[in-house]
Amino acid sequence: MADGTYMNHGWCLVIAIDGESGEVLGFQWCSRESKAAYLALFSTIPAPDVLITDGLRGAETACLEAWPGTRIQRCLVHVQRNTRVNLTSRPRLQAGRELKKLSDGLTSVHTAEQAVKWGEALNAWHERWKEFIAERTWAKDDPANPKASRQAWWWTHGDLRRCYRRLERLFRKGKLFAFLEPGLTASGPVARTTNRLEGGVNSVIKRTLLEHHGLPEEHMRRACEWVCYMKSADPRPESFITDALRDDGKETQREPDDGSPSYGTGIEWNEFHMSTHHPDTTD
């Protein structure tokens, strides 16, 4: 199962989908993503074997409480995005270039053997650069730095260190390659990204709101809910038609034809293909 969110106008829609079929399992409105919002959502859904999440703390904390037996798989694409935030797309330092290359290789891991080799490569990186990322800068040596007014020292290569520690922690806790574990794959493939949610539901919601720009906020919410409903397992939009609006089989009564134009007959398509001259000005 994958989880995700869509935010607009100060409100947030938390959505859960089936990771295999892409069907929407449930959604929850909230003012912001939080543990309470995810708990409200998860309480309506049976516990899955694995939850694919983008890494927000509220979702994972709620999962541990609501579904203690569910494994967590971190979305690998989001992990790569986090790495680019820390190191940029073109790291200046050699250590950063090597670590980004490791992060970029996450989505190329398809077997347990490759996952083991990836972990060994991460450990080898740390052995080469552990003293480098342990360097500190003291406030007295860099008084012009804004950090100097708040703390006595800081990690010289803080972003690089932060990126490594994230990758190491996720690997150690089994959240990077849970999708390869035999116990989880016995009943079928396990997703390793939230791409099905981003492209299958979130993008449709965004496009719907863009195409219907200007809707009142309440109507925007209904439009989002309608997208989720139509992406559910068994949508039946005809069930919303009331008996009063259903066709009773009687022939529609037509207005008497007295020669005057009526709605829907003011323009005749054939007139555009006749030789009869029609003035194109109002003079």
Side-chain angles (χ1 to χ4, degrees), residues 122-181:
L122 181 65
N123 185 63
W125 181 93
H126 182 251
E127 287 300 314
R128 288 194 303 274
W129 299 103
K130 61 183 179 182
E131 294 182 2
F132 183 71
I133 63 175
E135 293 179 1
R136 303 183 183 187
T137 298
W138 295 87
K140 60 183 179 60
D141 297 327
D142 189 8
N145 194 305
K147 297 179 181 179
S149 61
R150 304 189 305 269
Q151 53 200 87
W153 64 271
W154 55 88
W155 300 112
T156 304
H157 309 290
D159 288 338
L160 182 65
R161 179 185 178 89
R162 187 177 303 108
C163 182
Y164 162 73
R165 289 176 65 84
R166 180 193 307 113
L167 293 173
E168 188 276 333
R169 182 178 66 256
L170 291 174
F171 179 78
R172 173 168 41 84
K173 293 186 176 181
K175 296 181 179 180
L176 283 182
F177 305 116
F179 71 96
L180 294 173
E181 295 181 10

Side-chain angles (χ1 to χ4, degrees), residues 79-80 82-84 86-89 91 93-106 118-119 121-129 132-133 157-168:
V79 173
Q80 292 173 333
N82 293 338
T83 296
R84 287 196 296 272
N86 291 141
L87 306 180
T88 75
S89 297
L93 300 172
Q94 177 62 26
R97 290 194 289 269
E98 292 181 10
L99 191 59
K100 182 179 181 298
K101 184 177 180 180
L102 272 173
S103 178
D104 290 344
L106 281 171
W118 189 93
L122 181 65
N123 185 63
W125 181 93
H126 182 251
E127 287 300 314
R128 288 194 303 274
W129 299 103
F132 183 71
I133 63 175
H157 309 290
D159 288 338
L160 182 65
R161 179 185 178 89
R162 187 177 303 108
C163 182
Y164 162 73
R165 289 176 65 84
R166 180 193 307 113
L167 293 173
E168 188 276 333

